[in-house]
Amino acid sequence: MADLLGQLEALAKGAREAIGSAADEKALEDLRVRFLGKKGELSAVLRGMGALPAEERPRVGEVANRVRDEVEALLADAKGRLDARKLEAELAGPPIDVTLPGRRLLPRGHRHPITRATEDISAIFARLGYEVASGPEIELDWFNFEALNIPPDHPARDMQDTFYVEVSTLGDGAPDGSVLLRTHTSPVQIRAMQRLGVPPVRIICPGRVYRSDYDQTHSPMFHQVEGLCVDEGITFADLKGTLAAFARAYFGEGTRTRFRPSYFPFVEPGAEVDVSCSICGGTGRLPVPGGQLPPDRATRRCGTCKETGWLEVLGAGMVHPKVLENGGFDPKRYSGFAFGMGVERMAMLRYGIDDLRLYFENDLRFLEQF
Ligand code: FA5
């Protein structure tokens, strides 16, 4: 036993000297391995314990533990000392100018096509005097449906199925089942009217929305831009003029617009708005490259507009009196129009993209084209 205790004493002494004079972190790590590592000096002493009579082992074990604790403390102290010294040296050295440009030229990233389209659309409406508003993506049923004249049993809800959360688990006092992922940006209409309190209201709201959809032109999460204009004397002519100006700014000067009657519970009358096809210029046909072809073979069908010459781009209409009331406005005095468009679709039509899923696959070969 005396032999092992002597070895432990020698180990502790050796450690105090060596650790005290270690010059850097690498030297400290080597010393940790030398004294405490699996194949280190302490393990070698402990292996010798097997040959001791059982009654002597606890005493040696106790001393071995004390030595290990001491060596660990010495290593920690030395590390603290080295760190402090390094910091002092850095502070005393020449200052680092964090404002200098980087030395390596990394390729610059750029905005995602959806972000770009959203910003382009917002910029056009900003020039027309619209302010950007926002609302929550996790929305109350009341704002997403009821306030927009879509009661619980209304068939329009089937087209906008989404994820519902039982409110009892959120505990904010609203009735059960009334929290959902918003299915369109239209709830912001109500929120904006309530927030502003008095007309004029001229807002657009870009944002994410959710539906139970998935195919080449529909995804479960997508983006919309909502628009709302309310004041005294706003008419359908204002809606037409605004959207025609927008279509020309977004798709190009010669773009024509047409309105088809449609139904959304929150507008009356409502319309689907088409623009002349930005890919074929509204002719429905595209020129076939490659020399002098006979007239019947010089053009081919435009796949984007399916040869109709028209692209359906958004829903719009005059704000329903009930919606104005829910927003806190007197429908006898004020009128307004609203519209809502899908950003993925707007970018697809502008850039000639045929599969919406490409936006979300993050394949750089696709993204780098924009
Ligand atoms: C609406 O969401 C209405 N809130 C629009 C509106 C606002 C009408 C104001 C009147 C007044 P709709 O369900 O048609 O309407 O959706 C609008 C656009 O969102 C569509 O034209 C389409 O471009 C896009 N869209 C709809 N579902 C998806 C989807 N799953 N994935 C990608 N885009 C979608």
Side-chain angles (χ1 to χ4, degrees):
M1 174 165 90
D3 189 27
L4 287 185
L5 291 176
Q7 284 178 32
L8 285 171
E9 186 46 46
L11 189 157
K13 190 158 170 276
R16 274 178 224 126
E17 282 164 14
I19 294 172
S21 57
D24 54 30
E25 272 187 41
K26 164 86 175 65
L28 268 190
E29 177 57 15
D30 290 346
L31 290 170
R32 191 191 64 75
V33 174
R34 174 176 145 199
F35 294 115
L36 304 180
K38 249 198 228 154
K39 293 183 185 153
E41 293 185 16
L42 187 66
S43 298
V45 177
L46 293 177
R47 268 196 298 278
M49 276 172 71
L52 288 180
E55 67 276 13
E56 291 182 359
R57 284 184 204 156
R59 167 90 185 108
V60 177
E62 193 189 314
V63 176
N65 281 341
R66 212 174 331 119
V67 169
R68 187 183 25 241
D69 290 348
E70 184 184 345
V71 176
E72 279 174 352
L74 286 168
L75 288 166
D77 276 359
K79 167 104 170 58
R81 242 186 353 263
L82 287 175
D83 284 351
R85 214 185 295 156
K86 200 164 127 198
L87 183 64
E88 270 167 35
E90 269 173 24
L91 292 174
I96 297 170
D97 184 351
V98 292
T99 65
L100 282 176
R103 293 217 181 102
R104 247 180 83 197
L105 274 181
L106 290 172
R108 235 158 113 206
H110 56 83
R111 292 165 301 158
H112 190 277
I114 295 301
T115 310
R116 239 178 94 170
T118 307
E119 289 175 2
D120 291 349
I121 295 166
S122 303
I124 295 170
F125 283 106
R127 292 204 294 277
L128 293 172
Y130 284 69
E131 170 195 335
V132 174
S134 64
E137 287 170 33
I138 300 172
E139 184 55 285
L140 290 171
D141 182 298
W142 191 79
F143 284 105
N144 195 80
F145 289 128
E146 293 228 16
L148 294 169
N149 203 23
I150 313 175
D153 52 356
H154 198 287
R157 288 196 180 214
D158 290 349
M159 288 185 293
Q160 301 194 9
D161 194 16
T162 181
F163 301 94
Y164 289 82
V165 178
E166 292 296 320
V167 178
S168 44
T169 56
L170 296 179
D172 69 351
D176 272 4
S178 65
V179 165
L180 44 80
L181 290 181
R182 68 178 180 188
T183 58
H184 50 177
T185 41
S186 301
V188 184
Q189 290 183 25
I190 304 288
R191 290 185 176 275
M193 286 191 274
Q194 289 186 347
R195 179 172 56 84
L196 293 166
V198 281
V201 177
R202 225 178 281 128
I203 54 128
I204 54 157
C205 165
R208 274 190 210 112
V209 300
Y210 304 83
R211 289 186 197 178
S212 178
D213 284 343
Y214 187 63
D215 63 28
Q216 197 173 332
T217 50
H218 295 84
S219 61
M221 185 283 301
F222 60 104
H223 300 75
Q224 287 189 340
V225 174
E226 189 80 12
L228 175 70
C229 171
V230 183
D231 205 346
E232 280 183 44
I234 300 287
T235 68
F236 205 92
D238 297 309
L239 169 63
K240 286 186 90 170
T242 302
L243 291 181
F246 165 71
R248 284 195 302 271
Y250 188 79
F251 289 109
E253 249 327 292
T255 306
R256 285 165 293 130
T257 318
R258 78 176 181 189
F259 283 62
R260 284 178 292 112
S262 184
Y263 174 73
F264 299 94
F266 35 94
V267 288
E268 180 58 38
E272 288 284 354
V273 181
D274 301 340
V275 295
S276 51
C277 179
S278 53
I279 305 294
C280 63
T283 59
R285 307 286 301 175
L286 288 169
V288 175
Q292 298 289 315
L293 288 166
D296 59 323
R297 288 179 44 216
T299 61
R300 63 184 167 85
R301 176 179 187 272
C302 174
T304 307
C305 65
K306 301 193 176 67
E307 222 172 343
T308 61
W310 292 98
L311 302 168
E312 182 182 318
V313 291
L314 52 83
M318 299 307 289
V319 182
H320 195 288
K322 276 197 191 152
V323 174
L324 287 173
E325 242 169 47
N326 288 333
F329 290 0
D330 178 0
K332 292 200 186 71
R333 179 160 175 206
Y334 299 112
S335 57
F337 63 76
F339 53 87
M341 65 189 94
V343 179
E344 280 77 3
R345 182 158 169 80
M346 295 298 284
M348 285 170 92
L349 298 176
R350 190 167 179 187
Y351 302 124
I353 299 166
D354 59 5
D355 191 333
L356 171 149
R357 289 168 294 198
L358 288 166
Y359 289 129
F360 307 115
E361 285 170 359
N362 291 333
D363 186 332
L364 287 179
R365 288 170 303 179
F366 170 74
L367 294 174
E368 279 173 349
Q369 297 174 58
F370 302 96

